[in-house]
Amino acid sequence: AEIGISVLSHPHAIECAGEAELLAALNPDQVGLILSEQGRRALFLPKVWSDLPDPRDFLRELKRKGGWPADYWSADMRAERFSAEYF
C-alpha cells in the first residue's frame, strides 16, 4: 500500500459577487477550493481537477459534497482557494 500526504497552503478568500465571477477566478489544475456557508463546508484538493476538468462540473460537485443543490448560490457563500504539495 502507498500513502500520500497533501500539505495545504493557507486559504485565501476569492472575492466574487456570484457563481459566474467565481468560475472566472478559478485556475483549473492549480488550486483547491473551499466553499462555506452557515456551518456547511466542502473542500476539493487541486488534484480533483484531473477527474473534473470543467470548472462548472468541479463547482457543481463541490456544492453537492457540501450538501447544497448543484445549482445553489447564496450571497452568504464564501469561497477560498489554496494550493497543495503532494508527498
Side-chain angles (χ1 to χ4, degrees):
E2 192 172 301
I3 295 175
I5 297 173
S6 300
V7 179
L8 311 183
S9 71
H10 183 71
H12 297 281
I14 301 173
E15 298 300 326
C16 56
E19 188 170 331
E21 284 186 29
L22 175 58
L23 287 168
L26 294 178
N27 298 320
D29 296 324
Q30 297 176 2
V31 299
L33 184 62
I34 302 167
L35 292 179
S36 56
E37 180 200 38
Q38 298 181 3
R40 288 187 177 173
R41 185 176 171 112
L43 177 150
F44 271 167
L45 294 169
K47 66 182 180 179
V48 174
W49 286 106
S50 64
D51 294 326
L52 298 167
D54 181 274
R56 291 186 195 288
D57 293 337
F58 186 91
L59 184 55
R60 224 176 279 138
E61 291 304 316
L62 182 57
K63 287 190 281 185
R64 284 186 184 135
K65 180 180 179 184
W68 300 285
D71 61 350
Y72 180 78
W73 190 261
S74 162
D76 295 329
M77 188 167 280
R78 182 177 174 180
E80 298 171 285
R81 72 177 114 217
F82 63 92
S83 61
E85 285 191 56
Y86 302 104
F87 302 94

